[in-house]
Amino acid sequence: MATTTGVQRLNDSSRADLIDRLLSCLDITRWAADVADARPFADAEAVLKAADVAAPGLTDSEIHQALAAHPRIGERPKDTGRSAEFSRSEQAAVSDDLAEELRAANLEYEERFGHVYLVCASGRSGEELLEILRSRLDNTPADELRIVDSELRKIAALRLAKEIEA
């Protein structure tokens, strides 16, 4: 019996189930619905392209909604859902030794911008994440929101690729 590919599984999922999976990649309902409605997908590249096409034009409100689903860098998510699993994996390189420095830097960032610091953490060391945070503190709030938008897209693409592989 042939195994079902990840793309076939996404194609065969109910719309509601697929939207739930997609929301763990990027917690924006409009985006998840747009991607789900782009089915059927021919291959993984088509899934990622649909996700990219659905992401441009995220509103500030949508960006803030998506940010609410992300824990602070250096903090372990408390929930047990798929998004929390992704976050734990993405932040695996953050050591406990950096926890206090990251906590203080996160607070400074949040006071400056009014939202959590977000960066695509996958494959980066805790020191690198802290350095990036500090380098972004001089950004204007508008510039920082555009950077966060870009980081959300990167994270969504990585998570979606994992969903396809699962």
Side-chain angles (χ1 to χ4, degrees):
M1 173 156 98
T3 60
T4 303
T5 69
V7 174
Q8 287 172 320
R9 191 180 66 259
L10 296 180
N11 284 335
D12 294 343
S13 295
S14 71
R15 185 174 188 271
D17 182 53
L18 181 55
I19 287 174
D20 279 347
R21 287 176 169 275
L22 293 167
L23 288 173
S24 70
C25 299
L26 179 62
D27 194 4
I28 298 175
T29 306
R30 175 191 57 83
W31 174 84
D34 287 352
V35 175
D37 292 344
R39 291 182 295 173
F41 304 114
D43 53 28
E45 186 177 322
V47 178
L48 296 173
K49 182 174 181 180
D52 191 48
V53 167
L58 297 181
T59 66
D60 291 357
S61 175
E62 287 174 326
I63 292 169
H64 287 289
Q65 175 186 335
L67 281 172
H70 287 270
R72 287 182 180 99
I73 295 290
E75 288 185 6
R76 302 297 181 234
K78 294 171 180 66
D79 24 330
T80 58
R82 185 79 171 130
S83 183
E85 288 175 31
F86 282 136
S87 289
R88 274 189 280 285
S89 170
E90 292 157 357
Q91 292 193 47
V94 177
S95 70
D96 291 338
D97 296 341
L98 275 181
E100 186 55 35
E101 277 188 87
L102 277 167
R103 189 191 67 70
N106 276 320
L107 290 175
E108 183 179 358
Y109 180 96
E110 289 172 24
E111 286 174 12
R112 168 101 171 93
F113 296 111
H115 57 78
V116 298
Y117 161 60
L118 185 88
V119 65
C120 185
S122 188
R124 291 181 161 156
S125 70
E127 292 82 4
E128 185 178 1
L129 298 173
L130 182 59
E131 182 181 319
I132 293 168
L133 183 156
R134 289 180 174 149
S135 75
R136 287 171 43 186
L137 285 171
D138 290 330
N139 290 338
T140 66
D143 286 344
E144 186 58 20
L145 206 55
R146 298 294 50 98
I147 292 169
V148 169
D149 181 1
S150 174
E151 294 298 308
L152 281 167
R153 292 167 203 268
K154 291 176 194 174
I155 293 166
L158 287 172
R159 290 179 174 189
L160 189 51
K162 289 177 184 176
E163 282 293 338
I164 294 166
E165 294 168 4

